[in-house]
Amino acid sequence: MFETFFGAEKISLNSLETIEQGVPNIIVWAAPFMFFFVLLEYFISRWQNKKLYSRSETIGSTLVGLGNVAIGLVLKVFLLWIFIAIYNLIPWRMSFHWWTFIPCYILFDFCSYWAHNVSHRLRFFWATHVAHHTGEHYNLTVSFRLSWVQYFKIIFFLPVALLGFHPIILFVTNQVAVLFQFWVHTEYIKKMPWIIEYIFATPSNHRVHHGSQEKYINKNYGATFIIWDRIFGTFQEETERPIYGITHNIDHKHDPIHINFHEYYDIIRDVRQADGWREVLFYIFGNPSDIDTYKRRKNGLLHITEEKNTEH
């Protein structure tokens, strides 16, 4: 059994184009359904006079999402080449079986948790993720805000490839994982039965992740399974309505270029004003929260804020 399952035949790179055509573009296929539910949520919110949508943010989210899909299609062959090259290097290659999707998905989600965690704690990777958090209104279009440079984070998922999963299984897993995160970006689904809330990254759990309150920051990284957060101590229950966005919200909310690259502009500015190489490295690779505190203290703003809080 193991001999027939592991040690599958290598995949010829000459057949890369054929394999690429055989990998389904699940997100592209799902796009009409996603836009249908966006429109449904939008019209229901308008009918109920709920301010869930902002015109500028909706335009920005849509343009960011379309750009991300286009970049993903362009990079598809390159990423598939990487996964095939890894697959051919290792001797424990798994044969293509549909059920390997299940362990692959669980392990992929585990790596996704750590990729997400690091993306909030290292500014270099935060710059590849912050676009997703810039929306101040929480609705289904926020799921479209996937950074155009997020593909740097492929390094976090190489361990899954090194376990020998078939490249097509890996691609399908990635697309299903991204698609799962669409429905959690809504305020219309309240808390679900406790067992679901305990295991999965539900809308309630993910709303916490988008909250800018201190107790919500850097919590609930799980993409599909919230169980990772419970294990590693980053779980926070939704106890009050989140205030969405980031601690310093952006201007030009409709501009996909600004949404994707504003953090890089800030990094470049900070590096130019840095006092020495140690500060340069801190501005690039430090914890974003620590950097913000350091910059306010350096500029004298933290002392002023603390005095005002004391007066109150």
Side-chain angles (χ1 to χ4, degrees):
M1 175 181 176
F2 289 105
E3 291 180 357
T4 57
F5 179 67
F6 291 102
E9 292 293 326
K10 293 182 179 181
I11 299 174
S12 172
L13 291 175
N14 293 328
S15 61
L16 181 60
E17 184 177 350
T18 303
I19 295 172
E20 186 272 333
Q21 293 173 354
V23 178
N25 292 312
I26 297 175
I27 295 175
V28 175
W29 295 348
F33 300 97
M34 297 166 74
F35 281 113
F36 167 77
F37 284 109
V38 166
L39 290 173
L40 181 64
E41 183 185 56
Y42 171 76
F43 285 117
I44 290 175
S45 67
R46 288 292 299 271
W47 177 60
Q48 295 178 336
N49 292 318
K50 291 185 177 182
K51 296 181 180 179
L52 295 184
Y53 279 80
S54 157
R55 181 180 179 182
S56 59
E57 283 191 5
T58 301
I59 292 172
S61 295
T62 303
L63 292 176
V64 169
L66 291 174
N68 179 270
V69 171
I71 292 169
L73 290 173
V74 170
L75 292 178
K76 183 180 177 182
V77 173
F78 173 69
L79 294 175
L80 190 57
W81 181 88
I82 291 177
F83 288 135
I84 290 176
I86 293 173
Y87 185 76
N88 288 342
L89 279 174
I90 56 180
W92 49 85
R93 293 179 296 276
M94 298 185 198
S95 301
F96 181 86
H97 292 284
W98 69 266
W99 58 265
T100 57
F101 166 81
I102 299 172
C104 184
Y105 193 95
I106 294 171
L107 293 167
F108 188 93
D109 195 69
F110 176 74
C111 292
S112 180
Y113 167 86
W114 286 108
H116 201 172
N117 189 315
V118 172
S119 295
H120 278 252
R121 300 181 188 275
L122 252 65
R123 194 183 191 189
F124 176 82
F125 286 107
W126 171 242
T128 72
H129 179 62
V130 64
H132 187 63
H133 284 268
T134 51
E136 297 174 51
H137 297 78
Y138 197 74
N139 54 63
L140 291 172
T141 66
V142 174
S143 67
F144 301 161
R145 286 179 174 249
L146 298 175
S147 171
W148 295 352
V149 290
Q150 68 170 356
Y151 296 95
F152 283 128
K153 292 184 285 189
I154 188 177
I155 61 173
F156 290 98
F157 301 97
L158 292 181
V160 184
L162 287 168
L163 288 174
F165 290 101
H166 195 280
I168 293 179
I169 294 293
L170 282 169
F171 259 80
V172 171
T173 296
N174 175 62
Q175 292 187 76
V176 173
V178 171
L179 194 59
F180 178 91
Q181 295 172 60
F182 170 72
W183 73 285
V184 302
H185 292 88
T186 184
E187 292 195 335
Y188 275 104
I189 300 176
K190 304 304 179 182
K191 287 195 175 183
M192 304 179 76
W194 74 268
I195 188 64
I196 296 177
E197 292 287 343
Y198 193 85
I199 297 173
F200 293 99
T202 62
S204 175
N205 288 330
H206 198 64
R207 282 193 293 268
V208 166
H209 181 69
H210 280 263
S212 60
Q213 294 101 311
E214 185 175 352
K215 68 178 179 180
Y216 285 168
I217 292 176
N218 293 341
K219 300 294 183 181
N220 297 8
Y221 297 114
T224 296
F225 302 109
I226 203 68
I227 200 74
W228 310 125
D229 291 280
R230 296 183 184 277
I231 293 172
F232 297 109
T234 53
F235 175 75
Q236 170 63 49
E237 185 179 1
E238 184 182 29
T239 56
E240 62 180 270
R241 188 177 186 273
I243 300 171
Y244 302 109
I246 52 181
T247 52
H248 302 287
N249 287 309
I250 64 171
D251 299 319
H252 313 297
K253 302 179 188 299
H254 67 287
D255 183 352
I257 303 298
H258 185 70
I259 292 171
N260 274 284
F261 300 108
H262 72 274
E263 185 68 17
Y264 290 102
Y265 301 151
D266 290 345
I267 291 174
I268 292 170
R269 182 196 61 213
D270 291 342
V271 166
R272 285 177 174 174
Q273 297 174 356
D275 299 324
W277 279 105
R278 185 175 181 180
E279 200 167 273
V280 166
L281 294 174
F282 175 65
Y283 281 143
I284 297 174
F285 299 106
N287 185 306
S289 297
D290 293 342
I291 291 171
D292 181 63
T293 301
Y294 176 80
K295 286 166 59 179
R296 287 191 292 136
R297 181 178 288 113
K298 184 178 181 180
N299 296 326
L301 298 177
L302 186 62
H303 180 66
I304 296 172
T305 303
E306 288 173 345
E307 284 186 344
K308 288 183 177 179
N309 290 338
T310 302
E311 291 174 2
H312 290 299

